[in-house]
Amino acid sequence: MWASAVLLVLLGSFGANALDNGLARTPPMGWLAWERFRCNVNCTADPKNCVSEKLFMEMADRLVEDGYKDAGYEYVNIDDCWMAKQRDANNKLYADPERFPSGIKGLADYIHSKGLKLGIYTAYGNFTCQGYPASGMHLELDAQTFAEWGVDMLKMDGCKQMDRHTMKKGYPQMTKYLNATGRPILFSCSWPDYERGAGIPINYTLVAENCNIWRNYVDIQDSWQSVLSIIDYYAKEQDTLVPVAGPGNFNDPDMLIIGDFSLSVEQAKAQMAMWAILAAPLLMSNDLRTITPEYRDILLNKDVIAISQDNAGIMGKRVLQNPDGIEFWLRGIPKQQGTNREWAIAFFSRRKEAKSFTSSFKDLGLPADKVEGFDAYDVFSKYYWGYMPPDANFTVTIPPNGVRLIAFGQAE
Ligand SMILES: *[C@@H]1O[C@H](CO)[C@@H](O)[C@H](O)[C@H]1NC(C)=O
Ligand SMILES: *[C@@H]1O[C@H](CO)[C@@H](O)[C@H](O)[C@H]1NC(C)=O
Ligand SMILES: *[C@@H]1O[C@H](CO)[C@@H](O)[C@H](O)[C@H]1NC(C)=O
Ligand SMILES: *[C@@H]1O[C@H](CO)[C@@H](O)[C@H](O)[C@H]1NC(C)=O
């Protein structure tokens, strides 16, 4: 079983008619407001945390000054509740003037001056999920407006008052309008998640032709339970989802909640490791002004980011699920620059106590007969195992509700 699973991992890429806008060649990295800051619009009551240009400027400053930009995080993304309650006299969207006095254009200029990119949000219906004006009847005009402002990424949600059966037409229309602006705009689609919710068959070929990244499943919440339910969904659907992922196209299990209120340090490592294995966008939704160093270090870990950002863009999958609550997830990383690393394996635990596990690369089904030995590196402990013959036993201790992430390749 292991051997065939490994083969599948290595063959798991696809190339048909993926969206050709040159973007998201590796999973996009950045920051997105929603999970942490929601629709907090009362800047009188909560000036520090309300959805305002100040919030996005402060996050941009932190991205640059605290090392995130250097690590690869480049998008600063607005979510719902940025708009004024109506369109203007020409039917154009505009930002709430009290919370965004510089307008989105002014904010985009600021973000660009920092060497970062700006993402914005709309929805496919007549209203956003929070009741603000959305793009359903104005797709072309809104695409042009976003491009004029200098927007670099667009998340189009699926709310509200819009027949989900029309999404197979509507989202591709938006793709065409975005393309017609001439500005490369990374397109994040919530379309498959809404079809899933309505029991409409999802055509991932069509999704990949029109979107760079897409949400498949429900919104993440600030809880370990939510992280687990998302991982469960991707495991259950992996035979459908792995083949459509690749450079330019990635499944999106939603934001990183690392450094928020609920995940322990080990759980945070587990989310980071699993999102890297899944070739998922790394969009943090946290408060970079107050995050503590142990969480920041996880988000900035160069070796886990290198796995996430491997050029081949192969999405990993669950290859074994033990009845004792231990799972193995494997991702092929054949092109990782400057190293001999070819695979990343996550030993993932749902147990309530630490678990020691003894195995060998041969027992794990890796192509051991052709290989004299492996070189392995423990990504979070930063420990080199050194040369390991294929049949040499190793023991890993997997933390409760946590992960051990190992990057390895043939010894040179
Ligand atoms: C904002 O919060 C302030 C202080 O709590 C409150 O007086 C005001 O009514 C709130 N404004 C809105 C629009 O909810
Ligand atoms: C959006 O509003 C327009 C104009 O009122 C209406 O014709 C259309 O049916 C609405 N769209 C949906 C899908 O609710
Ligand atoms: C528009 O689509 C064409 C054809 O797929 C592509 O070559 C071009 O780069 C796209 N332009 C933008 C701005 O996305
Ligand atoms: C899915 O979309 C592709 C690309 O547009 C199309 O060729 C194919 O016929 C569609 N499949 C189904 C089942 O509709």
Side-chain angles (χ1 to χ4, degrees):
M1 142 149 210
W2 258 86
S4 63
V6 169
L7 259 175
L8 274 177
V9 166
L10 294 175
L11 293 176
S13 205
F14 128 121
N17 300 307
L19 175 58
D20 175 22
N21 59 6
L23 302 172
R25 304 307 297 170
T26 61
M29 297 174 65
W31 185 90
L32 173 58
W34 182 256
E35 197 293 312
R36 179 65 184 241
F37 295 96
R38 308 282 169 149
C39 194
N40 179 352
V41 291
N42 191 335
C43 293
T44 314
D46 196 3
K48 224 176 146 43
N49 300 304
C50 65
V51 175
S52 69
E53 66 181 38
K54 193 162 157 288
L55 180 71
F56 296 97
M57 289 173 176
E58 289 181 359
M59 292 307 160
D61 294 347
R62 299 273 54 84
L63 286 173
V64 172
E65 287 165 35
D66 298 341
Y68 298 96
K69 176 174 176 256
D70 288 342
Y73 295 91
E74 59 174 344
Y75 288 94
V76 179
N77 290 359
I78 305 170
D79 207 275
D80 205 345
C81 306
W82 61 269
M83 306 89 165
K85 283 285 189 181
Q86 294 88 27
R87 289 172 178 268
D88 74 8
N90 300 315
N91 256 333
K92 283 172 90 169
L93 289 174
Y94 66 106
D96 180 284
E98 284 181 16
R99 292 182 286 120
F100 292 83
S102 313
I104 301 299
K105 176 80 174 76
L107 178 56
D109 290 346
Y110 182 83
I111 300 289
H112 292 153
S113 78
K114 298 272 164 180
L116 299 167
K117 295 177 172 165
L118 181 69
I120 207 164
Y121 168 101
T122 189
Y124 174 57
N126 285 330
F127 297 98
T128 70
C129 300
Q130 298 295 319
Y132 288 79
S135 297
M137 306 298 286
H138 305 278
L139 294 174
E140 185 171 18
L141 175 64
D142 291 355
Q144 288 165 355
T145 305
F146 298 144
E148 280 164 23
W149 287 340
V151 162
D152 304 293
M153 174 165 172
L154 174 66
K155 170 178 172 182
M156 191 156 89
D157 209 337
C159 304
K160 216 171 214 179
Q161 301 173 5
M162 191 54 104
D163 181 355
R164 296 178 186 193
H165 289 90
T166 68
M167 288 182 171
K168 282 183 169 57
K169 286 214 165 66
Y171 274 83
Q173 269 173 352
M174 192 56 160
T175 305
K176 288 197 183 68
Y177 294 138
L178 288 172
N179 182 278
T181 68
R183 184 175 178 85
I185 297 178
L186 197 159
F187 194 23
S188 163
C189 300
S190 302
W191 161 27
D193 177 33
Y194 283 89
E195 290 188 331
R196 179 196 57 76
I200 300 167
I202 303 169
N203 182 340
Y204 275 110
T205 310
L206 187 63
V207 172
E209 282 171 8
N210 289 285
C211 308
N212 292 114
I213 63 174
W214 50 80
R215 290 280 310 284
N216 315 81
Y217 191 58
V218 297
D219 286 3
I220 198 163
Q221 309 297 338
D222 190 359
S223 80
W224 176 240
Q225 209 44 53
S226 170
V227 172
L228 284 181
S229 75
I230 290 170
I231 291 171
D232 286 338
Y233 181 79
Y234 284 81
K236 183 164 71 74
E237 297 295 324
Q238 61 188 8
D239 292 340
T240 304
L241 301 180
V242 168
V244 284
N249 291 125
F250 295 101
N251 296 290
D252 180 4
D254 212 5
M255 294 157 274
L256 295 171
I257 54 166
I258 294 167
D260 286 317
F261 300 105
S262 72
L263 297 192
S264 70
V265 170
E266 294 305 332
Q267 290 166 344
K269 288 177 190 167
Q271 193 195 14
M272 191 73 185
M274 294 305 296
W275 264 231
I277 293 279
L278 292 170
L282 301 180
L283 297 171
M284 308 178 279
S285 193
N286 50 15
D287 190 343
L288 298 174
R289 302 166 301 189
T290 57
I291 191 169
T292 55
E294 66 269 36
Y295 291 98
R296 184 174 154 240
D297 288 349
I298 294 168
L299 291 161
L300 294 180
N301 183 301
K302 286 193 166 55
D303 297 294
V304 67
I305 290 173
I307 293 166
S308 152
Q309 299 294 301
D310 179 73
N311 291 338
I314 297 170
M315 179 178 172
K317 64 200 311 189
R318 184 165 72 191
V319 287
L320 207 65
Q321 182 181 26
N322 279 355
D324 62 1
I326 303 292
E327 301 176 5
F328 312 123
W329 289 72
L330 187 68
R331 175 173 172 187
I333 47 174
K335 294 185 187 167
Q336 196 171 114
Q337 303 284 325
T339 74
N340 64 339
R341 295 178 193 161
E342 298 165 276
W343 295 280
I345 187 166
F347 298 90
F348 179 70
S349 171
R350 297 163 185 261
R351 294 172 68 91
K352 292 191 175 65
E353 73 290 320
K355 168 84 177 168
S356 289
F357 172 80
T358 300
S359 189
S360 68
F361 287 108
K362 191 172 174 199
D363 288 346
L364 290 177
L366 287 150
D369 18 333
K370 295 194 199 83
V371 179
E372 281 191 19
F374 291 99
D375 231 350
Y377 178 69
D378 188 322
V379 166
F380 289 112
S381 72
K382 304 188 197 300
Y383 177 72
Y384 278 102
W385 291 4
Y387 174 81
M388 306 262 306
D391 53 2
N393 278 345
F394 57 79
T395 299
V396 287
T397 302
I398 308 157
N401 291 307
V403 80
R404 291 288 292 276
L405 180 64
I406 312 293
F408 64 99
Q410 296 184 32
E412 284 171 341

